Amino acid sequence: MTDTLSLDAELAQLRESLQEHNYRYYVLDDPSIPDAEYDRLFQRLKALEAEHPDRVTPDSPTQRVGASPLSAFPEVRHEQPMLSLDNAFDEASLRDFDRRIHQRLEMGLETPIDYACEPKLDGIAVSLLYENGVLVRGATRGDGTTGEDITQNVRTVHSVPLRLRGDGWPARLEIRGEIYLPKAGFEAINERARSRGEKPFVNPRNAAAGSLRQLDPRITAERPLELCVYGVGLVEGEALAGGQVETLTRLREWGLRTNPEMARVCGIEACLEYYQRLAEKRNGLPYEIDGIVFKVDDLGLQRRLGFVSRAPRWAIAHKFPAQEELTLLQGVEFQVGRTGAVTPVARLKPVFVGGVTVSNATLHNMDEVARLDARIGDTVIVRRAGDVIPQVVRVVLERRPADAVKIELPAHCPVCGAEVERTEGEAAARCSGGVSCGAQRKRAIKHFASRRAMDIDGLGDKLVDALVDSGQIEQLADLYRLEHPRVAGMERMGDKSAENLLQAIEASKTTTLPRFLYALGIREVGEATAVALVNHFGTLEAISRADEQALQAVPDVGPVVAQHVAVFFQQPHNLETLEQLQGAGVHWPAVEIMPKVEQPLAGKTYVLTGTLEQLTRDEAKQRLQALGAKVAGSVSKKTDCVVAGPGAGSKLAKAESLGIAVIDEVALLELLEQA
Ligand code: IVH
């Protein structure tokens, strides 16, 4: 700033420019400066205000959060009632709406009416009162006549302007709109709630309501709420000219966020087309909508149509199929995944929700079952939003029958009968069957054949799938019983490749004990652990006989690894597999020397985030560790690389902001293969 500018002029300029940048960011979605520059302007304003507290104004951009917690929200009587909308659930009801309007206006059906079309956001209706352009009050709808004063909470919402832009606004202007949580914000706050062991919100609407009803505005300020306006209430002073769309366009110029999808169309057919178009776009929108609001655009016609009970005759909400429904939890089945995770799946009385009939929903794990307190026979709320898999989000306890049955984790795997284990601190229960479990077979074989395990060249993932699907491999040892003609007859095989494959399988019979042990895919037993076990016990027999205590005497083997190893060797299926493999000719030299494991990633720190599809988190961690890497839980300057899968959130963002290398799972697998 130059010396010639007085303090007041600088303050005014900073505030105006911050307000303008806010407008560009939140309303136009077109920021003109980087965030860092915005932060600098903001910090400069804060510093000046701290030096001159007498110059702080309530509409200064620094004054969003400040008020102290309330003990209750004061009541607000709406000077103009906040109405609700009639609903149309199908095309016929929407056509009826249009017909009624024509009748009332005594217009022939051949004269089309102009309608404003607006997505119906699923949040909380709010009233924002501006006096001489300054926000003086924010209120909830309440019962339509009396709401709650939530001024200090709405002030924390960045898209709510504390002062209107430009000029020409009426002296008193009440804006009506919806405060909502975008989908990403909803996921983020639920993720945070889960990580703190708190109950997640059922849907974005509840999350928005819960956030706005906080007595402490600092909590509201932490929630990424947004505003979208759809109309006006009280107008005093200058009148507003024009129809609905024109009014909203003015509001937007004054700095209020409106929905970019808003459109004016002519006639009911065009309304139906708009509805269809938005229905197709719905899943891709960054916020939830539950329908389309159609409003007669012309204000004169609106006045002539008037109201019936609590809803205007000139507007209607054409709803999309509901995303939440009630249904009955008829049973729970346990499914075993490729990684051995035993997952409870709810069998539901079929129900139409989110546009499809749903009869199954994952219950994730036993912790989730406990959190929901779900029992068989319960009435539950099922939610299916967009392409997301259906979820049981809540139990309706009031409807619980006396004979509701508790859900218990089975003691044995429903696929192979091996014991089901639960490790403390881990949500998933797992089948301990490993290589012997049918559900884990393909994955177990792929691991067994992999380069750092039995190193069977040419036995790729697709071929394993095909061999299992065609029934040629049911158990690991069947690998060593494959026959040339059948293999050669498989798709994309042929004589030569079959011969090469069988030769590679034959060659793999000569191996080392650490490789073999690692190839068995015992949970938490990576290459380094396999070597340590072999170095300590010397023979497979000794390892298989060791109890948990004896196993813990091995360097780096803690109680968890010891338990996995012990349980593995207790399973009759697994012992049988070992016998068969050795019977088929798999052998290794007696252990004398201590093989040294290569550690190409020594000194490097990795962080895993998001969902991995080919590997479990554990496996990825173990394999990185086997190569010498450290695997940390959070991203810092010391991190060398972040492995990010789908759904990666704050860790990925942090890595990007620190300029740390980010790779995906495919690149990770390549890295592991090459190392
Ligand atoms: S107009 C007099 N427009 O839906 C008209 N409402 O069921 C009153 N809503 O309480 C509302 N998006 O919270 C209108 N574009 C939109 C809307 C919308 C969401 C909500 C609003 C209202 C409820 C009525």
Side-chain angles (χ1 to χ4, degrees):
M1 250 349 99
T2 61
D3 302 345
T4 50
L5 275 178
S6 73
L7 171 66
D8 283 328
E10 183 177 359
L11 283 169
Q13 202 186 65
L14 280 168
R15 286 181 191 140
E16 196 177 314
S17 104
L18 283 165
Q19 192 193 10
E20 207 50 29
H21 290 308
N22 250 329
Y23 169 70
R24 293 200 61 130
Y25 188 91
Y26 290 105
V27 181
L28 303 185
D29 199 11
D30 177 27
S32 59
I33 55 166
D35 291 359
E37 178 59 17
Y38 180 92
D39 291 342
R40 269 192 288 278
L41 293 171
F42 192 87
Q43 291 311 328
R44 171 74 183 151
L45 178 59
K46 249 177 111 168
L48 282 181
E49 287 181 346
E51 260 174 58
H52 307 279
D54 56 313
R55 300 296 221 286
V56 177
T57 56
D59 62 343
S60 169
T62 59
Q63 302 301 300
R64 287 201 174 269
V65 201
S68 41
L70 297 172
S71 51
F73 297 112
E75 264 188 11
V76 170
R77 269 191 85 77
H78 299 299
E79 289 180 54
Q80 274 194 16
M82 288 182 79
L83 301 167
S84 63
L85 288 169
D86 272 344
N87 291 321
F89 292 100
D90 52 28
E91 187 180 324
S93 328
L94 190 68
R95 289 184 187 280
D96 284 346
F97 161 76
D98 180 57
R99 207 169 297 129
R100 282 196 303 273
I101 287 174
H102 278 91
Q103 271 165 6
R104 276 224 159 233
L105 297 174
E106 294 176 339
M107 282 165 64
L109 274 178
E110 67 290 345
T111 315
I113 288 175
D114 279 344
Y115 287 106
C117 315
E118 302 161 14
K120 186 169 185 292
L121 288 153
D122 209 5
I124 301 301
V126 291
S127 144
L128 304 171
L129 185 61
Y130 287 87
E131 286 181 355
N132 300 316
V134 176
L135 176 70
V136 295
R137 196 193 66 199
T140 61
R141 173 170 182 267
D143 63 6
T145 314
T146 312
E148 288 177 321
D149 186 328
I150 52 162
T151 310
Q152 38 172 357
N153 289 348
V154 299
R155 287 178 66 92
T156 69
V157 178
H158 284 273
S159 38
V160 172
L162 299 179
R163 163 184 283 280
L164 297 179
R165 284 178 82 240
D167 48 30
W169 8 266
R172 290 185 86 212
L173 174 63
E174 186 202 356
I175 310 283
R176 303 270 171 91
E178 200 87 350
I179 289 189
Y180 64 96
L181 257 181
K183 291 173 185 168
F186 169 69
E187 295 303 334
I189 69 173
N190 266 359
E191 182 66 31
R192 193 160 16 139
R194 277 189 217 104
S195 72
R196 290 178 181 169
E198 295 164 9
K199 225 172 153 168
F201 288 105
V202 167
N203 56 39
R205 186 194 144 78
N206 289 10
S211 304
L212 274 183
R213 292 205 79 263
Q214 293 291 334
L215 290 165
D216 184 348
R218 281 167 300 188
I219 301 182
T220 312
E222 285 175 6
R223 310 279 167 87
L225 295 163
E226 283 187 18
L227 168 74
C228 179
V229 304
Y230 52 69
V232 293
L234 185 79
V235 182
E236 271 177 24
E238 212 146 324
L240 292 178
Q244 169 70 9
V245 171
E246 223 174 299
T247 303
L248 291 190
T249 311
R250 297 255 349 246
L251 296 185
R252 185 172 147 98
E253 283 160 15
W254 288 336
L256 293 151
R257 258 182 103 235
T258 53
N259 195 305
E261 306 294 338
M262 170 182 66
R264 181 172 41 210
V265 305
C266 181
I268 198 66
E269 295 306 328
C271 289
L272 286 162
E273 278 163 31
Y274 180 93
Y275 175 88
Q276 208 46 52
R277 193 161 62 72
L278 265 287
E280 282 158 25
K281 238 178 141 171
R282 184 185 188 189
N283 290 344
L285 292 173
Y287 43 80
E288 293 228 330
I289 59 176
D290 58 356
I292 303 295
V293 184
F294 295 109
K295 299 173 183 168
V296 171
D297 187 62
D298 187 295
L299 293 190
L301 295 183
Q302 283 190 8
R303 264 191 294 274
R304 278 173 60 194
L305 287 160
F307 302 88
V308 58
S309 72
R310 310 211 44 76
R313 284 205 187 85
W314 42 264
I316 198 158
H318 188 189
K319 302 296 276 291
F320 291 131
Q323 294 188 317
E324 278 167 26
E325 286 293 352
L326 290 179
T327 192
L328 220 56
L329 177 59
Q330 292 177 319
V332 171
E333 263 174 36
F334 286 85
Q335 285 182 352
V336 190
R338 288 181 314 133
T339 61
V342 178
T343 306
V345 177
R347 298 282 175 239
L348 304 167
K349 184 168 177 222
V351 61
F352 190 70
V353 56
V356 298
T357 300
V358 169
S359 43
N360 302 313
T362 173
L363 288 167
H364 300 286
N365 52 56
M366 293 308 284
D367 288 347
E368 176 72 358
V369 170
R371 188 187 69 71
L372 289 166
D373 183 22
R375 304 202 185 162
I376 296 162
D378 269 336
T379 296
V380 294
I381 299 178
V382 178
R383 176 175 163 80
R384 180 186 179 271
D387 299 328
V388 179
I389 51 168
Q391 310 274 329
V392 172
V393 289
R394 204 157 57 112
V395 169
V396 185
L397 285 177
E398 306 84 74
R399 297 217 192 165
R400 171 167 292 167
D403 59 353
V405 178
K406 273 202 118 172
I407 299 165
E408 310 268 9
L409 181 70
H412 295 103
C413 171
V415 175
C416 73
E419 254 170 80
V420 170
E421 292 180 286
R422 269 198 90 176
T423 311
E424 216 172 302
E426 219 183 82
R430 281 174 200 279
C431 161
S432 59
V435 289
S436 338
C437 178
Q440 300 170 66
R441 186 171 301 147
K442 284 183 180 170
R443 197 162 175 282
I445 296 167
K446 288 170 193 173
H447 172 73
F448 186 81
S450 65
R451 205 162 72 76
R452 304 185 74 88
M454 302 300 277
D455 191 18
I456 305 178
D457 206 20
L459 187 55
D461 289 1
K462 287 217 174 83
L463 191 51
V464 172
D465 290 344
L467 286 166
V468 173
D469 292 340
S470 63
Q472 295 182 73
I473 300 185
E474 278 184 4
Q475 338 178 13
L476 265 188
D478 292 342
L479 255 177
Y480 295 101
R481 302 188 191 111
L482 290 176
E483 284 163 6
H484 185 276
R486 257 192 99 180
V487 175
M490 291 173 68
E491 212 177 306
R492 266 175 292 153
M493 276 307 273
D495 246 11
K496 187 70 193 152
S497 26
E499 202 179 301
N500 289 344
L501 176 68
L502 292 178
Q503 259 173 26
I505 292 176
E506 188 59 32
S508 76
K509 287 181 182 171
T510 307
T511 184
T512 67
L513 182 51
R515 268 181 180 276
F516 181 70
L517 195 57
Y518 168 67
L520 294 175
I522 305 169
R523 290 195 58 221
E524 303 279 345
V525 177
E527 289 168 278
T529 308
V531 171
L533 286 165
V534 172
N535 285 342
H536 186 87
F537 290 104
T539 65
L540 183 63
E541 221 208 331
I543 298 170
S544 70
R545 275 200 319 252
D547 61 14
E548 287 180 39
Q549 208 184 348
L551 287 162
Q552 282 189 54
V554 179
D556 285 337
V557 173
V560 174
V561 181
Q563 194 201 356
H564 290 314
V565 175
V567 170
F568 180 91
F569 287 106
Q570 278 158 21
Q571 305 303 314
H573 290 84
N574 291 340
L575 299 179
E576 222 170 275
T577 300
L578 294 180
E579 230 169 73
Q580 287 179 4
L581 287 169
Q582 286 176 278
V586 176
H587 64 280
W588 47 86
V591 177
E592 284 164 30
I593 39 151
M594 295 188 186
K596 231 180 137 36
V597 189
E598 277 175 61
Q599 300 222 302
L601 299 182
K604 300 269 185 240
T605 302
Y606 279 70
V607 171
L608 304 168
T609 181
T611 321
L612 299 183
E613 277 148 6
Q614 314 271 333
L615 296 173
T616 62
R617 276 264 174 122
D618 271 354
E619 262 179 340
K621 184 173 170 184
Q622 214 174 79
R623 291 183 59 181
L624 283 165
Q625 284 171 339
L627 300 175
K630 213 179 117 194
V631 179
S634 60
V635 177
S636 74
K637 273 187 232 147
K638 291 187 192 147
T639 310
D640 293 290
C641 179
V642 170
V643 182
S650 59
K651 289 182 194 171
L652 175 58
K654 186 154 180 204
E656 281 167 353
S657 75
L658 291 174
I660 291 166
V662 176
I663 60 171
D664 63 6
E665 189 179 5
V666 176
L668 171 69
L669 288 166
E670 261 170 38
L671 175 85
L672 295 173
E673 277 304 307
Q674 281 161 14

